[in-house]
Amino acid sequence: MFTGTRGNDGKNPEKVDFSYAMLNPSAGFGGLYSPEILPKFDKDFFTRAAKKNYKELALEILKLFSVDVEEGVLKEALDLYDKFDDKNSPAPLVKVKSDLFVNELYHGPTRAFKDMALQPFGYIFSYLAKKRDEKYLILAATSGDTGPATLNTFENKENIKVVCLYPSGGTSDVQRLQMVTAAGKNLKVIGIKGNFDDAQNALKSLLASETFKEDLKKQNINLSAANSVNFGRIIFQIIYHVSSYIELLKRNELKEGEKFYITVPSGNFGNALGAYYAKKMGLPVEKILIASNINNILTELFTTGVYDISKKELLQSVSPAMDILISSNVERVLFDKFGAKRCKELMSELSCKRLYSLSKEELEALREDFDAVYSDDEFALKTIAEFAKKGYVLDPHTAACVKAYRTIKQKDIPCVICSTAEWTKFAPTMWNALQNNKCGDKEALENFSKTLKVGIPECISSLFEKEIKHTDVIDKSQIQKYITDFLKG
Ligand SMILES: *Cc1c(COP(=O)(O)O)cnc(C)c1O
């Protein structure tokens, strides 16, 4: 069962099944549904898992959470991993140094790790909506990767409409084209004049607006979300951390029970939370190393115990998916460690004072599982160039992990870095790292690909010829009207 991170407000049910939490992700007092008790891997789990493929392992883990969806449907959802580059290994683990491995999570249809969860998530979500004969509007605000992955998974799905807000001018051309060429009739993509925070805030105020909800109710439409506040995403983000450990065992890089590090480039903390849950369930993880960029709020939290955004402004970086100040899924760790009462207290301090401070003991408890470090654009560019020269291509987000590997990994044991995007999504940055030369996406893709002899997948190269379906770029104040019109039309 799942329960709210801030306790029960009497308006939302106190304990819910997986399917309820997926369709209605927001819990009492604005909290998030989280596992009431985390399941544990039994002592033979990893031995059994070593004989399974990725999809079979995924099914085992879903069963541990007593997911209330028919097994046949779960299997069909997991079959979507067959679309990834290597159907036997949707998230391959690549060795780049004796103690450094990269878990490549970007081999899905939109070339970012969001597909790992959103592909099966979208299938199950629309199955549930259809089965219940309910209609859903999914609102997404994106800095560039969630949008394409959400649009892809819900394209032409019955009972679902998606509105995706992106900051106009704030994404790469590839990311923008992935969205504005989305063809499904149930999809609407809107550029917002402003940055990602503006798009996100616009979405939040819509989600909180009673008139908007009333309006939807009249049309029998429920509102939901597909970002990582939805536990239905997090559950799929536990699996690949487990599969990377099993790979290390199979390759004799580790013996059963020996520990390893996981390093995650973090933004909204969904990926890192998946690693935390896996650790709590019994995966032998030494520590989860959080890599952030100059928006280093997570590094501050895990090193000082203070989460203070009162004087911070969002800065732009070459790793835009980590440009974030309010990292939603930290809340689920606070809940798991300190309980709903304390979690609610900390979250209300954050919203009133834009700041909370953990006690010394609380910080120590966090540091049992986490450490963190941040790096800047210069480090990302240097690291991309350095690795590229040695023959391995890292995107700017993944490059931030190298700093964690070099500076806060303390023990001489293997370290798995989560690679969250293919280089093709950030080609201008990649080319600039290599040649100190700025150009647009198309040219940068070609240049980088030729110079390093790395291929560009068809789904990316074809974007430049595809028909543009969505041209609206609007002011924040117009969003509600646009969405209402789309729903009517
Ligand atoms: C979404 C994303 C991240 C951040 O992941 P979180 O789960 O939100 O912490 C990092 N890198 C890339 C490329 C992403 O798309």
Side-chain angles (χ1 to χ4, degrees):
M1 297 294 271
F2 297 85
T3 179
T5 47
R6 302 184 196 179
N8 187 239
D9 61 359
K11 291 183 211 151
N12 293 273
E14 188 172 359
K15 288 180 192 178
V16 303
D17 284 323
F18 175 82
S19 61
Y20 185 97
M22 184 182 235
L23 296 171
N24 314 280
S26 85
F29 300 115
L32 311 172
Y33 282 117
S34 296
E36 194 182 11
I37 302 167
L38 278 170
K40 292 271 191 291
F41 299 124
D42 65 48
K43 79 180 199 325
D44 301 321
F45 183 89
F46 301 114
T47 317
R48 290 197 311 275
K51 300 190 187 84
K52 295 182 194 301
N53 65 26
Y54 191 89
K55 292 194 290 182
E56 290 162 344
L57 170 67
L59 191 63
E60 286 301 309
I61 293 176
L62 296 181
K63 282 185 188 164
L64 285 178
F65 280 91
S66 310
V67 166
D68 60 323
V69 178
E70 297 87 318
E71 186 166 328
V73 175
L74 296 179
K75 282 184 171 162
E76 283 160 19
L78 294 168
D79 280 342
L80 292 167
Y81 289 129
D82 291 348
K83 287 196 295 188
F84 286 47
D85 292 341
D86 178 355
K87 65 183 268 188
N88 297 314
S89 180
L93 187 71
V94 176
K95 184 170 184 169
V96 292
K97 274 188 184 172
S98 63
D99 62 346
L100 180 63
F101 299 80
V102 181
N103 196 4
E104 295 183 348
L105 305 175
Y106 56 74
H107 290 279
T110 72
R111 314 317 281 175
F113 97 103
K114 305 293 192 286
D115 290 328
M116 291 302 302
L118 275 165
Q119 284 291 307
F121 173 95
Y123 190 91
I124 296 170
F125 194 110
S126 40
Y127 165 81
L128 291 172
K130 230 171 91 181
K131 183 176 157 193
R132 294 171 183 220
D133 199 20
E134 290 170 350
K135 288 191 190 133
Y136 283 85
L137 169 66
I138 293 184
L139 288 178
T142 184
S143 64
D145 289 333
T146 300
T150 305
L151 296 164
N152 183 290
T153 197
F154 286 114
E155 183 171 337
N156 293 326
K157 287 280 194 304
E158 288 173 68
N159 293 34
I160 312 280
K161 284 188 176 172
V162 178
V163 172
C164 175
L165 309 176
Y166 72 94
S168 174
T171 69
S172 74
D173 276 348
V174 163
Q175 290 174 320
R176 180 181 54 83
L177 288 170
Q178 284 182 312
M179 294 185 271
V180 298
T181 60
K185 287 208 164 54
N186 62 331
L187 310 175
K188 178 86 180 167
V189 178
I190 306 173
I192 303 294
K193 291 178 193 153
N195 61 23
F196 171 62
D197 259 12
D198 295 322
Q200 174 114 326
N201 288 337
L203 187 142
K204 277 187 188 155
S205 55
L206 262 188
L207 289 172
S209 151
E210 290 301 325
T211 63
F212 185 61
K213 276 188 261 185
E214 280 302 308
D215 213 34
L216 293 179
K217 219 175 194 171
K218 276 185 211 142
Q219 303 178 67
N220 252 325
I221 299 173
N222 303 290
L223 201 55
S224 192
N227 63 5
S228 59
V229 302
N230 196 315
F231 187 81
R233 281 226 356 226
I234 301 299
I235 198 166
F236 292 103
Q237 296 180 183
I238 297 171
I239 301 158
Y240 48 74
H241 296 299
V242 179
S243 86
S244 73
Y245 168 66
I246 292 166
E247 266 307 302
L248 291 174
L249 290 181
K250 281 192 195 166
R251 296 184 199 172
N252 278 324
E253 299 285 355
L254 276 184
K255 289 196 195 60
E256 184 141 3
E258 284 180 349
K259 291 186 175 177
F260 70 113
Y261 286 94
I262 296 178
T263 304
V264 187
S266 292
N268 218 18
F269 212 68
N271 201 352
L273 179 73
Y276 172 75
Y277 283 156
K279 184 173 191 281
K280 286 279 148 149
M281 290 165 73
L283 194 71
V285 179
E286 172 68 26
K287 259 187 193 180
I288 300 151
L289 307 180
I290 302 302
S292 30
N293 64 23
I294 41 166
N295 296 293
N296 61 350
I297 189 72
L298 289 169
T299 300
E300 289 186 359
L301 174 67
F302 290 110
T303 54
T304 68
V306 179
Y307 198 106
D308 182 359
I309 52 172
S310 63
K311 289 169 218 79
K312 278 199 191 287
E313 226 180 284
L314 194 72
L315 304 169
Q316 281 205 345
S317 78
V318 295
S319 43
M322 292 148 74
D323 291 346
I324 197 163
L325 291 179
I326 298 192
S327 180
S328 310
N329 276 302
V330 171
E331 176 169 353
R332 285 188 163 116
V333 175
L334 300 177
F335 167 72
D336 187 68
K337 292 239 178 236
F338 314 126
K341 186 163 167 273
R342 178 65 172 150
C343 182
K344 178 167 178 273
E345 193 173 272
L346 293 169
M347 289 302 113
S348 49
E349 278 176 28
L350 182 61
S351 82
C352 302
K353 297 189 218 145
R354 321 257 315 144
L355 153 91
Y356 64 77
S357 297
L358 300 178
S359 69
K360 193 164 156 276
E361 292 73 30
E362 285 169 335
L363 173 61
E364 270 167 26
L366 279 191
R367 290 182 59 84
E368 279 170 24
D369 297 304
F370 297 100
D371 200 356
V373 71
Y374 77 98
S375 56
D376 58 14
D377 284 359
E378 193 190 330
F379 178 87
L381 299 186
K382 238 174 55 194
T383 306
I384 289 168
E386 182 196 321
F387 273 69
K389 276 181 201 128
K390 290 186 210 146
Y392 190 78
V393 177
L394 299 164
D395 93 292
H397 302 78
T398 312
C401 291
V402 173
K403 175 91 176 212
Y405 162 75
R406 286 192 184 142
T407 61
I408 53 172
K409 171 181 180 284
Q410 288 182 337
K411 294 190 180 168
D412 189 16
I413 53 176
C415 178
V416 171
I417 282 179
C418 287
S419 182
T420 46
E422 188 176 60
W423 70 272
T424 54
K425 296 199 86 167
F426 305 99
T429 300
M430 300 299 294
W431 183 239
N432 189 29
L434 218 59
Q435 295 283 327
N436 195 12
N437 182 336
K438 294 197 172 136
C439 62
D441 281 52
K442 195 159 190 266
E443 206 186 332
L445 277 166
E446 282 161 14
N447 291 344
F448 191 89
S449 156
K450 260 193 220 134
T451 308
L452 286 181
K453 302 195 172 50
V454 283
I456 302 168
E458 216 269 328
C459 60
I460 299 291
S461 55
S462 64
L463 283 172
F464 298 91
E465 273 75 57
K466 273 175 111 173
E467 187 190 342
I468 304 229
K469 303 274 186 188
H470 308 268
T471 51
D472 300 331
V473 176
I474 65 173
D475 198 77
K476 281 183 288 189
S477 59
Q478 292 175 283
I479 294 173
Q480 185 160 343
K481 180 184 171 305
Y482 258 73
I483 297 179
T484 314
D485 288 350
F486 165 64
L487 293 175
K488 288 189 182 124

